[in-house]
Amino acid sequence: MPLPPLSRRSLLRAGGVGLALAATTALASCAPPSDPKALKIAFFGDQSGADELRARLEEPVRALDPTIRLEINATPGTDWNEFFAKLLTQIAAGSRPDIVSVATEGVQLMAGRGLAAPLDEYVTRDLAELQDYFDDVSPALVEAMMYDGSLFLLPLDYNAGNMYYSPLLFEQAGLDLPAPDWTVDDFYDAGRALARIPDINAYDWVVRLWGSWTSFLYANDGNLLAEGRAPGGQWLWDAAYAGNPAAAGRGGGWAWGDPIANSPAAVEALELMIELRREGIAPSPDVGGGQTSQALFAAGRVGMSVGGGFWAGGLHNAGMAPGSFDVQYFPRWKSQRHLFGTAGYSILETSDKKDLAWEVIKRLTFPDAFDVLFPGNVTTPARQSLSTAKRYETTGPEHWDVFSSTLTEFPETAPIPAPIYFNALSTALNQRTTEAIATGDARAALDGLQIDLETAAGAVA
Amino acid sequence: MSAVTPPRTAPARRGTPTGPTDGVRRTPAARRSRRAEAAFGYAMIGLAGAAILLFTIGPILASFGLSFFAWDIITPRRFVGLDNYAAIGGDQRVVHSFGVTAVLAFSIVLLQVAIGLFLALLVDQRRRASTKAVFRTVFYLPLLASTAAVSIFMTYMFNERFGVVNYYLRLLGSSGVPWLTSDAGAVVTIVFVAVWQSVGFTFVLFVAALAGLPRDVMEAAEIDGAGPVRSLLRIKLPLISPTVFFACVIGLINAMQLFDQAFIMTKGGPGTATTTITMVIYQTAFQNLQFGYGSAISMVLFAALIALTGLQFTLSRRLVFYS
């Protein structure tokens, strides 16, 4: 039967309907259907790392529930700031993982915005099982994972801002190696001596929140935000840390108060960095992750730099032999207070597999899980008992115990200031620090930072 | 009088295409074939239309709609009317970044066009086609490289302490330039990298335009004694002015959206010296989670681009010569 004649108008109409259908179908396909048999983990790193982790975790997860399929999706980024920006965008686009890797930078952001689920009930219920873990982990790390009285993560690893140095360059400069109680003046003198060696950076640093000039700020007894503690948390301290003096006086997590970015301590710390550059001790710093700084150190072209336990594996993997680098506590200024960042895995509030996710998270706290998660000394284990000479015998450094003893030697050591508006803080800090280095005017830059932070805090409020 | 009487058909309506087959009664097979051909054409247009709708027009409309809301992607969005737009004028960060973007964009376009034209004129003088092909390829190659990769590579090249550029400057007796860590140095470096990578585009446009110049006109000018400079200013430039205009329009639209180089090489610094408007949009929306406000800023950028392009078209009536 012949087709009826198709007019131009009919064709246009059909085309329009087809186009609308195509658009609707495509839009519908943008929202991925929820898979009841998949446990999804959002992982900070590249996909090859995520695949390796999945291969190692598959069996323990199958032991918990043989019907569940483990999916680990990687989100790469130069730092946690970038990771969270991408993660939140993915969540907005409908991708809802059950478990998310979260560091100090994102704890309050996730908890404060209702994205992360509190673990209080699970921890209370399974405390007997977890007591071995709490006995082994510093309460300082656990407190950094609390917000408003609730616990949102179990810390698995951390990094305190210690000082790496090159024994070879120290020897070349005729310097004694830094002692545990060395001071900022000692550091400065060492910097001047190292700067006489051609083609090296006596001191190298990175513009970021962790281990930047902020390490000097902490040692100068300052901070970017007023420090305080949220009420609550006794449910945990009384139960898991009963009788532990290190838990005394702790509350329900860090409560970051008003910005104090232009305080005299902050101005003095940033002026020190400007002076280091002026004297040729330190170059203008890069912004971000610090890969360039680490690569330069591995190439033997940096005398000193702030690093954590993660540098041990990084420098070893970059070809540095044990003995060609070492680490010491951060030098004393007004105090020898260090800063640290810690990380773990959080359950998303939207997850419909919270119970299983909790079982996985609990499983990750077992001692044998650490090397599954972090092979190759790429961070410091939260469990003190895992920091042993054997762990560092192939990678170094010689004074590996600095990593694990920082929290006990300097109990006033505190996490980086990461409020709910962490992303805005991080951006403003980067901009104002580079401004100060370029102009040489720390006071003006920090006055600007103060305004930026007040604006960001006000926007959240 | 024609031997064949045309069939009685309704008079052609205004806009109805006329052609050799008009008014001829087609066979059913021919009609089916024509319908199938038309359907195929509309299907192809439909696919392209769907892609544009989904990936260009859709997001623009969504962004426009979102600009009237406060939304942090986590809590429900809240209608705020024109508040986001009202806030832009008082936001020094946005105003400053528009200024930074304008400086970068006009510098980039100016250099892109000037260097692209200069190189094209040089290559145009080569007689051998193979030589021209080699130069065309060499100058176009950077455009094929990933901007992110180029930016990372250039970051190392311009590193103050260990960069190749300062290494050679030191050999010449300079103490080295803080390329990426001083306000002026960062702006110059980003302009350099953007121009280095994109000049191949304007170059190829100008080479094609120069190759298309009418030979008789050029020969007449030569016979009349016009020298190279006079010939360039009085004949070549007016004749290729539509291409120059096109390069300026496209170049400015691209340069006003500069992001990758500044984001990777300087993170917008030092301070906010290289913070472009697209970086502010990124920070506002994706880092500070102010998607409504970020959308409002992007709409202002969109309007600014339309206004700039309109201004260029207005100026083109005086400056561009369409033969």
Side-chain angles (χ1 to χ4, degrees):
Chain A
M1 187 182 164
L3 289 167
L6 188 62
S7 69
R8 181 170 162 271
R9 185 168 293 174
S10 305
L11 259 175
L12 277 173
R13 201 173 290 148
V17 171
L19 199 142
L21 273 173
T24 310
T25 310
L27 280 173
S29 66
C30 288
S34 171
D35 184 347
K37 287 294 170 193
L39 184 74
K40 296 179 184 170
I41 300 181
F43 170 80
F44 177 27
D46 56 26
Q47 193 55 48
S48 63
D51 290 343
E52 280 177 32
L53 181 62
R54 186 174 56 81
R56 294 192 294 266
L57 278 181
E58 235 167 9
E59 203 178 308
V61 171
R62 202 172 293 131
L64 293 168
D65 185 342
T67 65
I68 284 290
R69 195 178 69 255
L70 183 63
E71 275 183 22
I72 303 186
N73 296 313
T75 301
T78 54
D79 50 28
W80 283 100
N81 190 14
E82 206 174 305
F83 170 72
F84 286 123
K86 289 179 181 177
L87 177 72
L88 291 170
T89 313
Q90 286 170 24
I91 292 172
S95 167
R96 305 251 163 178
D98 300 289
I99 298 173
V100 180
S101 54
V102 179
T104 315
E105 286 87 336
V107 172
Q108 303 211 354
L109 191 156
M110 301 282 285
R113 291 184 184 271
L115 283 169
L119 304 178
D120 305 5
E121 283 181 23
Y122 289 119
V123 170
T124 305
R125 186 190 73 191
D126 296 343
L127 188 59
E129 244 181 302
L130 287 166
Q131 193 57 57
D132 166 63
Y133 165 81
F134 286 119
D135 289 345
D136 207 10
V137 174
S138 165
L141 300 180
V142 175
E143 189 185 29
M145 296 305 202
M146 298 178 84
Y147 179 73
D148 231 3
S150 287
L151 181 67
F152 286 86
L153 294 99
L154 296 174
L156 300 175
D157 70 306
Y158 74 102
N159 284 286
N162 302 127
M163 186 70 82
Y164 277 71
Y165 62 90
S166 163
L168 304 174
L169 291 175
F170 265 64
E171 190 185 344
Q172 199 177 330
L175 291 165
D176 292 332
L177 300 182
D181 59 347
W182 70 320
T183 64
V184 165
D185 287 341
D186 298 332
F187 160 81
Y188 214 113
D189 292 342
R192 283 201 187 101
L194 287 163
R196 291 188 206 108
I197 301 172
D199 296 331
I200 69 151
N201 291 336
Y203 176 68
D204 203 82
W205 63 291
V206 179
V207 178
R208 60 186 174 195
L209 187 56
W210 184 94
S212 179
W213 67 275
T214 45
S215 277
F216 289 90
L217 176 59
Y218 269 49
N220 205 24
D221 278 348
N223 208 324
L224 296 173
L225 306 174
E227 295 175 10
R229 283 192 159 91
Q234 292 313 311
W235 65 270
L236 179 67
W237 306 123
D238 292 346
Y241 285 93
N244 186 334
R250 300 205 182 269
W254 287 83
W256 300 110
D258 293 337
I260 46 168
N262 56 355
S263 67
V267 174
E268 194 177 11
L270 192 50
E271 276 176 348
L272 176 71
M273 310 313 291
I274 293 168
E275 204 52 43
L276 289 174
R277 182 174 186 270
R278 208 171 277 151
E279 288 199 36
I281 295 169
S284 291
D286 285 341
V287 178
Q291 291 87 345
T292 308
S293 184
Q294 194 174 345
L296 286 172
F297 193 99
R301 305 190 71 167
V302 172
M304 299 178 285
S305 189
V306 174
F310 66 99
W311 262 42
L315 296 177
H316 172 73
N317 293 337
M320 289 196 97
S324 57
F325 66 95
D326 207 348
V327 68
Q328 189 50 274
Y329 298 122
F330 195 81
R332 171 177 292 278
W333 202 350
K334 286 194 178 71
S335 74
Q336 210 163 351
R337 185 166 89 134
H338 288 56
L339 51 66
F340 72 82
T342 177
Y345 284 88
S346 168
I347 302 173
L348 272 200
E349 189 60 76
T350 50
S351 170
D352 54 2
K353 301 180 196 69
K354 286 195 183 74
D355 291 347
L356 178 63
W358 164 247
E359 292 302 325
V360 171
I361 284 176
K362 200 169 61 178
R363 180 69 186 77
L364 295 177
T365 65
F366 293 3
D368 63 346
F370 181 79
D371 287 313
V372 171
L373 286 169
F374 309 107
N377 282 351
V378 291
T379 186
T380 313
R383 279 178 172 268
Q384 291 271 344
S385 64
L386 295 179
S387 287
T388 60
K390 188 171 170 48
R391 173 171 296 281
Y392 292 97
E393 70 181 1
T394 50
T395 63
E398 187 184 338
H399 292 97
W400 57 268
D401 54 319
V402 161
F403 303 139
S404 54
S405 60
T406 299
L407 296 175
T408 48
E409 286 293 314
F410 310 105
E412 68 276 27
T413 291
I416 50 174
I420 195 168
Y421 56 92
F422 161 73
N423 284 335
L425 179 147
S426 176
T427 304
L429 176 73
N430 291 349
Q431 286 183 342
R432 297 300 181 179
T433 303
T434 53
E435 178 189 325
I437 299 299
T439 61
D441 190 345
R443 160 63 67 182
L446 291 177
D447 283 344
L449 180 60
Q450 176 73 12
I451 294 168
D452 293 343
L453 297 186
E454 284 170 356
T455 307
V460 171
Chain B
M1 191 178 171
S2 167
V4 180
T5 308
R8 290 173 65 100
T9 54
R13 278 177 303 174
R14 200 174 168 193
T16 303
T18 55
T21 57
D22 264 5
V24 177
R25 184 176 285 279
R26 299 183 193 89
T27 63
R31 279 206 305 273
R32 276 200 297 276
S33 167
R34 193 160 180 266
R35 279 207 309 269
E37 192 182 338
F40 181 74
Y42 282 118
M44 292 297 103
I45 294 168
L47 280 176
I52 292 170
L53 185 71
L54 278 176
F55 300 114
T56 306
I57 298 172
I60 290 173
L61 292 177
S63 184
F64 180 65
L66 203 54
S67 68
F68 300 106
F69 288 84
W71 189 43
D72 64 0
I73 73 172
I74 296 161
T75 50
R77 64 193 74 175
R78 185 168 46 87
F79 183 75
V80 293
L82 293 172
D83 285 2
N84 287 329
Y85 289 96
I88 290 174
D91 190 337
Q92 283 307 307
R93 197 175 50 120
V94 175
V95 174
H96 173 75
S97 68
F98 261 113
V100 169
T101 308
V103 169
L104 288 170
F106 282 106
S107 309
I108 289 167
V109 172
L110 192 70
L111 290 170
Q112 248 178 13
V113 171
I115 297 172
L117 182 60
F118 177 70
L119 294 174
L121 286 167
L122 288 181
V123 170
D124 188 54
Q125 288 177 357
R126 304 293 101 198
R127 297 211 179 276
R128 289 175 60 181
S130 59
T131 312
K132 287 185 180 183
V134 167
F135 279 112
R136 274 203 305 268
T137 308
V138 167
F139 289 133
Y140 198 78
L141 268 180
L143 202 63
L144 303 178
S146 143
T147 308
V150 167
S151 301
I152 292 170
F153 170 71
M154 289 293 185
T155 306
Y156 285 104
M157 293 276 287
F158 285 94
N159 183 287
E160 188 181 348
R161 292 294 287 267
F162 300 112
V164 176
V165 177
N166 273 358
Y167 170 79
Y168 284 109
L169 285 177
R170 286 197 191 95
L171 288 182
L172 296 171
S174 162
S175 60
V177 177
W179 292 110
L180 299 171
T181 50
S182 64
D183 287 13
V187 169
V188 167
T189 309
I190 283 174
V191 168
F192 169 81
V193 173
V195 171
W196 176 82
Q197 204 186 0
S198 58
V199 78
F201 175 67
T202 48
F203 164 77
V204 167
L205 285 180
F206 292 141
V207 165
L210 289 169
L213 291 180
R215 282 196 176 282
D216 53 342
V217 176
M218 300 312 299
E219 282 168 4
E222 205 175 327
I223 290 166
D224 285 348
V229 175
R230 199 178 174 82
S231 167
L232 170 67
L233 295 177
R234 296 299 174 108
I235 298 169
K236 287 182 180 173
L237 271 183
L239 285 176
I240 66 166
S241 59
T243 308
V244 176
F245 172 64
F246 175 74
C248 287
V249 171
I250 296 294
L252 196 63
I253 289 172
N254 283 333
M256 286 291 287
Q257 297 173 70
L258 186 130
F259 179 84
D260 305 33
Q261 294 92 339
F263 185 73
I264 292 169
M265 295 176 70
T266 62
K267 288 271 193 281
T272 51
T274 56
T275 303
T276 60
I277 188 64
T278 47
M279 283 185 72
V280 169
I281 292 169
Y282 170 78
Q283 286 165 358
T284 305
F286 295 97
Q287 292 191 319
N288 300 349
L289 302 180
Q290 294 172 292
F291 277 81
Y293 187 43
S295 295
I297 303 171
S298 66
M299 283 298 114
V300 172
L301 173 64
F302 185 58
L305 282 174
I306 289 174
L308 270 174
T309 308
L311 181 69
Q312 282 177 306
F313 271 95
T314 307
L315 287 173
S316 76
R317 286 185 202 135
R318 288 184 177 186
L319 301 173
V320 177
F321 170 72
Y322 293 101
S323 58

